[in-house]
Coordinates of all heavy atoms in Angstrom, one line a residue:
K256 N 11.3 -24.8 53.6 CA 10.2 -25.7 53.8 C 8.9 -24.9 53.9 O 7.8 -25.5 53.7 CB 10.4 -26.5 55.1 CG 11.6 -27.5 55.0 CD 11.6 -28.4 56.2 CE 12.7 -29.4 56.1 NZ 14.1 -28.8 56.3
Q257 N 9.0 -23.7 54.3 CA 7.8 -22.8 54.5 C 8.0 -21.4 53.9 O 9.2 -21.0 53.9 CB 7.4 -22.7 56.0 CG 6.9 -24.0 56.6 CD 6.5 -23.8 58.0 OE1 7.2 -23.3 58.8 NE2 5.3 -24.4 58.4
T258 N 7.0 -20.8 53.5 CA 7.1 -19.4 53.1 C 7.2 -18.5 54.3 O 7.1 -18.9 55.4 CB 5.8 -19.0 52.3 OG1 4.7 -19.0 53.2 CG2 5.6 -19.9 51.1
R259 N 7.6 -17.2 54.0 CA 7.8 -16.3 55.1 C 6.5 -16.1 56.0 O 6.6 -15.8 57.2 CB 8.2 -14.9 54.6 CG 9.3 -14.9 53.6 CD 10.7 -15.3 54.2 NE 11.8 -14.9 53.3 CZ 12.3 -15.7 52.4 NH1 11.8 -16.9 52.2 NH2 13.4 -15.3 51.7
E260 N 5.3 -16.2 55.3 CA 4.1 -15.9 56.0 C 3.5 -17.1 56.8 O 2.7 -16.9 57.7 CB 3.0 -15.5 55.0 CG 3.4 -14.2 54.2 CD 4.4 -14.4 53.1 OE1 4.6 -15.6 52.8 OE2 5.0 -13.4 52.6
Q261 N 4.0 -18.3 56.5 CA 3.4 -19.5 57.1 C 3.7 -19.5 58.6 O 4.9 -19.3 59.0 CB 3.8 -20.8 56.4 CG 3.1 -21.0 55.1 CD 3.6 -22.3 54.5 OE1 4.7 -22.4 54.0 NE2 2.8 -23.4 54.5
E262 N 2.7 -19.8 59.4 CA 2.9 -20.0 60.8 C 2.5 -21.4 61.3 O 1.7 -22.1 60.7 CB 2.0 -19.0 61.6 CG 2.5 -17.6 61.7 CD 3.7 -17.6 62.8 OE1 3.4 -17.8 64.0 OE2 4.8 -17.4 62.3
T263 N 3.2 -21.8 62.3 CA 2.9 -23.1 62.9 C 1.5 -23.1 63.6 O 1.2 -22.2 64.4 CB 4.0 -23.5 63.9 OG1 5.3 -23.5 63.3 CG2 3.7 -24.9 64.5
P264 N 0.7 -24.1 63.3 CA -0.6 -24.1 64.0 C -0.5 -24.2 65.5 O 0.5 -24.8 66.0 CB -1.3 -25.4 63.4 CG -0.6 -25.7 62.1 CD 0.8 -25.2 62.3
P265 N -1.3 -23.5 66.2 CA -1.2 -23.4 67.7 C -1.2 -24.8 68.4 O -0.7 -24.9 69.5 CB -2.3 -22.5 68.1 CG -3.3 -22.6 67.0 CD -2.5 -22.8 65.8
D266 N -1.8 -25.8 67.8 CA -1.9 -27.1 68.4 C -0.7 -28.0 68.1 O -0.7 -29.1 68.6 CB -3.2 -27.8 67.9 CG -4.5 -27.2 68.5 OD1 -4.4 -26.6 69.6 OD2 -5.5 -27.2 67.8
F267 N 0.2 -27.5 67.4 CA 1.4 -28.3 67.1 C 2.4 -28.2 68.3 O 2.5 -27.1 68.9 CB 2.1 -27.8 65.8 CG 1.7 -28.4 64.5 CD1 0.3 -28.7 64.4 CD2 2.6 -28.7 63.5 CE1 -0.1 -29.3 63.2 CE2 2.1 -29.3 62.3 CZ 0.8 -29.6 62.2
F268 N 3.1 -29.3 68.6 CA 4.1 -29.3 69.6 C 5.4 -28.6 68.9 O 5.6 -28.7 67.7 CB 4.5 -30.7 70.1 CG 3.4 -31.2 71.0 CD1 2.5 -32.1 70.5 CD2 3.4 -30.9 72.3 CE1 1.5 -32.7 71.3 CE2 2.4 -31.4 73.1 CZ 1.5 -32.3 72.6
Y269 N 6.2 -28.0 69.8 CA 7.4 -27.3 69.3 C 8.4 -28.2 68.7 O 9.1 -27.8 67.8 CB 8.0 -26.5 70.5 CG 8.1 -27.3 71.8 CD1 9.1 -28.3 72.0 CD2 7.1 -27.2 72.7 CE1 9.1 -29.0 73.1 CE2 7.1 -27.9 73.9 CZ 8.1 -28.8 74.1 OH 8.1 -29.6 75.2
F270 N 8.4 -29.5 69.1 CA 9.3 -30.4 68.5 C 8.9 -31.0 67.2 O 9.6 -31.8 66.6 CB 9.7 -31.5 69.5 CG 8.5 -32.2 70.2 CD1 7.8 -33.2 69.5 CD2 8.1 -31.8 71.5 CE1 6.6 -33.7 70.1 CE2 7.0 -32.4 72.1 CZ 6.3 -33.4 71.4
S271 N 7.7 -30.7 66.8 CA 7.2 -31.2 65.5 C 7.1 -30.1 64.5 O 6.6 -30.3 63.4 CB 5.8 -31.9 65.6 OG 4.9 -31.0 66.1
D272 N 7.7 -29.0 64.8 CA 7.6 -27.8 63.9 C 8.7 -27.9 62.8 O 9.7 -28.6 63.0 CB 7.9 -26.5 64.7 CG 7.6 -25.3 63.9 OD1 7.0 -25.4 62.8 OD2 8.0 -24.2 64.3
F273 N 8.4 -27.3 61.7 CA 9.4 -27.3 60.6 C 10.5 -26.3 61.0 O 10.3 -25.3 61.7 CB 8.7 -26.7 59.3 CG 7.9 -27.7 58.5 CD1 6.6 -27.6 58.4 CD2 8.5 -28.9 58.0 CE1 5.8 -28.5 57.7 CE2 7.8 -29.8 57.3 CZ 6.4 -29.6 57.1
E274 N 11.7 -26.7 60.5 CA 12.8 -25.7 60.6 C 12.8 -24.7 59.4 O 12.5 -25.1 58.3 CB 14.2 -26.5 60.6 CG 14.4 -27.4 61.8 CD 15.8 -28.0 61.8 OE1 16.7 -27.4 61.3 OE2 15.9 -29.1 62.4
R275 N 13.1 -23.5 59.7 CA 13.0 -22.4 58.7 C 14.4 -21.9 58.3 O 15.2 -21.6 59.2 CB 12.2 -21.3 59.3 CG 10.7 -21.6 59.6 CD 10.0 -20.5 60.3 NE 8.6 -20.7 60.5 CZ 8.0 -21.5 61.4 NH1 8.8 -22.1 62.3 NH2 6.7 -21.7 61.5
H276 N 14.6 -21.9 57.0 CA 15.9 -21.4 56.5 C 16.1 -20.0 56.8 O 17.2 -19.5 57.2 CB 16.0 -21.7 55.0 CG 15.2 -20.8 54.2 ND1 13.8 -20.8 54.3 CD2 15.5 -19.9 53.2 CE1 13.3 -19.9 53.4 NE2 14.3 -19.4 52.7
N277 N 15.0 -19.2 56.8 CA 15.1 -17.7 57.0 C 15.4 -17.4 58.5 O 16.0 -16.4 58.8 CB 13.9 -17.0 56.5 CG 12.6 -17.4 57.2 OD1 12.4 -18.6 57.4 ND2 11.8 -16.4 57.5
A278 N 14.9 -18.3 59.4 CA 15.2 -18.2 60.8 C 16.7 -18.3 61.1 O 17.3 -17.6 61.9 CB 14.4 -19.2 61.6

Side-chain angles (χ1 to χ4, degrees):
K256 296 185 177 72
Q257 290 182 313
T258 64
R259 311 291 196 271
E260 297 78 13
Q261 282 181 288
E262 276 287 293
T263 304
D266 290 328
F267 271 37
F268 287 98
Y269 42 84
F270 48 80
S271 61
D272 190 14
F273 282 117
E274 294 188 26
R275 295 170 173 81
H276 72 299
N277 61 319

